[in-house]
Amino acid sequence: MSWDWGQAQTAMAECAAEQERSEQNMRDAGADAAVAKREYQRALAVRIVELKAKGNAVTACETIAKGEHDISQLRFEKDLAEATYRAACAANYRHSANRADAVELAKWA
């Protein structure tokens, strides 16, 4: 079954809209990942300085800070946000390929 001209236009428009939504999702996920990274790095830096001020060995401060619950939770949230961003990038690639397929099918039809 092939498409008529109207069906081909509709399919290409739907693919274009889906790609636009995917690109926005990727931008949003990237921004969320950046915010999560910033929050983690700031909290880690503050805690390292606090540990140093309390007389802990300089070489151990980062390890101690990373093991604390609040810091490890922020790292988890950062890692999760980065994984979500990578998944959004993969989805965007897939939508780009789907859009290219729709264009080729429309040419063929």
Side-chain angles (χ1 to χ4, degrees):
M1 179 173 139
S2 62
W3 289 336
D4 64 24
W5 178 246
Q7 291 170 321
Q9 283 185 313
T10 299
M12 288 187 297
E14 288 171 358
C15 285
E18 186 62 34
Q19 180 154 7
E20 287 177 22
R21 285 189 295 274
S22 177
E23 290 168 356
Q24 184 60 51
N25 184 48
M26 191 172 69
R27 284 189 292 274
D28 293 344
D32 291 346
V35 168
K37 184 176 182 177
R38 181 185 63 202
E39 289 175 3
Y40 166 69
Q41 289 178 332
R42 284 182 177 172
L44 179 62
V46 167
R47 188 61 185 137
I48 289 170
V49 169
E50 291 171 352
L51 289 168
K52 285 179 185 178
K54 288 182 180 180
N56 288 286
V58 173
T59 55
C61 289
E62 184 174 352
T63 303
I64 294 167
K66 285 181 177 180
E68 294 181 352
H69 179 72
D70 56 337
I71 302 297
S72 65
Q73 181 63 33
L74 287 171
R75 182 171 180 159
F76 170 77
E77 291 168 10
K78 173 192 76 75
D79 292 346
L80 186 60
E82 289 172 350
T84 301
Y85 173 70
R86 287 191 302 274
C89 290
N92 189 58
Y93 177 81
R94 186 177 64 249
H95 290 299
S96 295
N98 290 348
R99 186 174 181 192
D101 288 347
V103 169
E104 289 303 313
L105 285 171
K107 287 179 186 177
W108 177 75

